[in-house]
Amino acid sequence: MATESNGVSKLKTPEIKFTKLFINGQFIDSVSGKKFETIDPRTGEVATQVAEGDKEDVDIAVKASREAFDHGKWPRMSGFERGRILFKLADLIDQHGEELAMLDSIDAGKLLHITRAFDIPFAANCFRYYAGAADKIHGETLKCTGEFQAYTLKEPVGVVGHIIPWNFPTVLFAAKVAAALASGCTMVVKPAEQSPLSALYLAHLAKEAGIPDGVINVITGYGPTAGAAIASHMHVDAVSFTGSTDVGKLVMGAAAASNLKIVSLELGGKNPLIIFSDADIDMAVQTAWQAVFFNQGEMCFAGSRVYVQEGIYDEFMKKAIENAKNWVVGDPFDPNVHQGPQVNKEQFDKVLRYIESGKREGATLLTGGKAIGEKGYYIEPTIFTDVKEDMLIAKDEIFGPVMSIMKFQTIEEAIEKANNTRYGLAAGIVTNDLNIANRVTRSVRAGTIWINCYLITDINIPFGGYKMSGFGKDSGLQGMEKYLKVKSVITPIQNSPWL
């Protein structure tokens, strides 16, 4: 059983400075004047109230963004000039990293020491990466069969809507916004209603860095209202969404029904981690543990389907139980804690329902399975064995600290089981045999494959899925492609000595 440590830390939380909508360079109230509560998942109590944007507010933000794109200087700056401002924004993120990290911990229950060490540096480096790419957006010179010459231009797509999830608020704001800014786009950002605070703070830093008014607008509010208004808006040219597959379908439908805007979707996953009998067992257990329980299991790329070859299956289970005994669940502001609370009551209840479903359908609960404490949304790390492929815990994205361990015998069986899912976001392979690693890598239908590691992300590496995990990439140079349109230009050649 996991160690409990959920007394709320005495560490001072930051002053929450920004709670209004950010439109055209100003923090303003919503048109309706309505607000909504953002909850601290450590306690279940209200952290603050935030302006509730709706369709009317989205209209105002899109108008500002449209004006900034059609007539403003951001798309007309040289890439070098845009990059210089993005470098300044990266430095400001570093300088204000402690406040940003605390805001994500208050909003989403993220471990403060991990957010400091990973999320904030990653976000700053996103802006540096795309700052360097901003002046390297090149077309091609093309040979034609007749007496013509042709070339392509890459042009910013226009006004972009970014709809961001709650599990990595600062990271995903940076990955999407930085790539779009470098491309010369303007934008309206809707952070998740569960975690709006860091997006507002980042908008403030963007203005301080010198990004012109109207280029970045942030609308806090709910998905069915503010999010839907962005996805269906006739003057939004592209939408980039990260979240659940069900909502992704709604976004795609709204885009199609409105103006056929470009859509990029990074959606759910039910990712396999395949552990072969030749693997180092201790490394395999630690890899599986982090693949499932990092960030409270609230990851689209969580490796929650753990397939273990029969030769090491029993030993793997024993070591997994031992790991659970030393796993500390509690206040995310405590540096000794390994796992914080789920983001809110809704997600907390959903995870517990899946745990009950696993028991009801006949899986064996190896360890965990219960809520911790009376305050906050804490759940024990939970491990099931004897899991069948048709059980809900093996099919559905739980988005919580629940591991399903399943046995396999052959490589062929492992590949078949790994691909037996509607998702295709990521997968992991643990083996010392290069031939096995190569074969499985090429056989599993997923956008990212980790070999003898898991969770390794980098701004250089494109990330996105296959199948119902969506399409389009964030990060890497490919992360800019959805924000650029290719234009072909053809001119005749008169009396050229060569074609």
Side-chain angles (χ1 to χ4, degrees):
M1 175 172 175
T3 304
E4 178 184 347
S5 174
N6 70 328
V8 175
S9 149
K10 293 180 181 179
L11 182 62
K12 183 180 177 182
T13 57
E15 176 191 357
I16 298 172
K17 299 175 182 177
F18 307 109
T19 59
K20 296 183 178 183
L21 310 180
F22 185 79
I23 299 177
N24 207 20
Q26 303 296 322
F27 285 101
I28 61 173
D29 292 319
S30 62
V31 171
S32 68
K34 290 195 294 185
K35 298 180 179 181
F36 67 95
E37 296 174 344
T38 181
I39 304 299
D40 184 342
R42 299 180 299 170
T43 61
E45 297 170 357
V46 176
T48 191
Q49 291 191 328
V50 178
E52 182 181 336
D54 208 332
K55 183 181 182 303
E56 290 175 289
D57 304 289
V58 170
D59 286 342
I60 297 168
V62 171
K63 183 178 180 181
S65 195
R66 185 85 262 165
E67 177 69 19
F69 184 79
D70 290 345
H71 304 292
K73 59 184 178 180
W74 186 255
R76 292 158 188 83
M77 285 183 183
S78 69
F80 174 80
E81 291 175 294
R82 288 200 300 270
R84 187 163 55 182
I85 294 172
L86 296 183
F87 276 122
K88 186 174 180 182
L89 177 52
D91 291 341
L92 287 169
I93 290 171
D94 281 338
Q95 291 167 27
H96 296 267
E98 184 72 9
E99 293 147 294
L100 287 165
M102 285 186 171
L103 291 175
D104 280 354
S105 292
I106 290 169
D107 257 353
K110 294 174 67 66
L111 298 184
L112 181 61
H113 66 281
I114 296 294
T115 307
R116 278 189 193 123
F118 169 75
D119 296 53
I120 305 307
F122 187 99
N125 287 334
C126 278
F127 283 98
R128 292 190 179 99
Y129 179 89
Y130 288 114
D135 61 352
K136 300 170 185 68
I137 299 171
H138 304 304
E140 296 177 299
T141 302
L142 306 171
K143 287 265 190 179
C144 296
T145 54
E147 292 186 343
F148 297 90
Q149 66 177 6
Y151 62 92
T152 60
L153 298 171
K154 288 187 176 180
E155 300 180 341
V157 69
V159 176
V160 178
H162 298 295
I163 303 175
I164 296 171
W166 43 259
N167 56 336
F168 290 93
T170 297
V171 165
L172 287 168
F173 180 102
K176 293 181 186 295
V177 168
L181 287 173
S183 302
C185 295
T186 61
M187 62 211 64
V188 178
V189 183
K190 195 206 86 68
E193 57 267 28
Q194 298 89 343
S195 57
L197 299 177
S198 58
L200 294 169
Y201 201 107
L202 287 161
H204 159 71
L205 295 181
K207 182 176 175 69
E208 188 175 333
I211 292 176
D213 293 348
V215 173
I216 295 179
N217 304 274
V218 178
I219 301 293
T220 51
Y222 293 99
T225 50
I230 291 170
S232 62
H233 206 287
M234 292 298 292
H235 298 297
V236 171
D237 300 299
V239 61
S240 175
F241 171 80
T242 297
S244 73
T245 297
D246 287 343
V247 177
K249 290 179 181 179
L250 297 175
V251 169
M252 197 169 178
S258 53
N259 61 344
L260 285 175
K261 59 179 64 66
I262 295 167
V263 177
S264 174
L265 302 175
E266 195 268 277
L267 307 176
K270 191 67 178 177
N271 310 292
L273 175 61
I274 309 168
I275 300 171
F276 289 89
S277 57
D278 68 331
D280 179 300
I281 188 71
D282 292 321
M283 185 272 279
V285 170
Q286 291 304 318
T287 299
W289 200 265
Q290 290 298 324
V292 180
F293 299 116
F294 180 78
N295 208 55
Q296 298 74 251
E298 293 174 339
M299 306 174 288
C300 54
F301 46 79
S304 56
R305 291 189 294 144
V306 180
Y307 294 101
V308 182
Q309 201 161 20
E310 60 180 353
I312 59 170
Y313 182 82
D314 292 339
E315 186 180 2
F316 183 93
M317 286 198 301
K318 290 176 185 175
K319 288 182 177 288
I321 294 171
E322 286 300 311
N323 235 44
K325 294 177 181 176
N326 300 315
W327 192 251
V328 182
V329 180
D331 176 20
F333 278 51
D334 183 341
N336 297 311
V337 163
H338 301 120
Q339 179 186 314
Q342 309 311 125
V343 69
N344 62 8
K345 181 75 161 56
E346 181 183 357
Q347 188 64 22
F348 173 80
D349 289 340
K350 175 186 171 185
V351 174
L352 292 176
R353 284 197 302 272
Y354 272 112
I355 291 170
E356 289 306 309
S357 168
K359 293 190 285 187
R360 189 170 57 251
E361 290 188 321
T364 300
L365 182 62
L366 194 65
T367 186
K370 297 190 295 293
I372 296 177
E374 297 180 0
K375 271 186 120 176
Y377 308 126
Y378 300 90
I379 297 176
E380 293 176 334
T382 299
I383 303 175
F384 282 103
T385 60
D386 303 315
V387 178
K388 307 300 182 192
E389 298 289 320
D390 60 350
M391 293 179 179
L392 288 179
I393 58 171
K395 294 192 301 182
D396 289 0
E397 183 181 43
I398 298 173
F399 232 65
V402 181
M403 177 190 290
S404 295
I405 304 178
M406 293 164 275
K407 188 187 299 185
F408 73 92
Q409 294 180 327
T410 66
I411 298 175
E412 293 78 11
E413 181 188 1
I415 292 168
E416 182 180 354
K417 287 178 180 291
N419 284 326
N420 184 25
T421 174
R422 60 188 179 274
Y423 298 111
L425 189 58
I429 304 162
V430 184
T431 180
N432 287 319
D433 189 321
L434 183 60
N435 291 325
I436 291 175
N438 285 334
R439 179 180 174 187
V440 177
T441 294
R442 285 159 174 76
S443 300
V444 173
R445 297 279 297 161
T448 296
I449 307 289
W450 286 290
I451 301 172
N452 293 332
C453 61
Y454 208 89
L455 304 181
I456 304 304
T457 57
D458 189 278
I459 187 56
N460 290 281
I461 303 171
F463 186 81
Y466 289 13
K467 300 192 284 188
M468 290 181 73
S469 291
F471 48 83
K473 298 289 185 181
D474 286 328
S475 296
L477 292 178
Q478 287 189 5
M480 296 177 71
E481 289 181 3
K482 57 183 172 288
Y483 306 121
L484 295 165
K485 295 286 282 185
V486 177
K487 177 182 287 181
S488 297
V489 182
I490 305 98
T491 60
I493 301 175
Q494 304 292 337
N495 302 316
S496 173
W498 51 272
L499 294 178

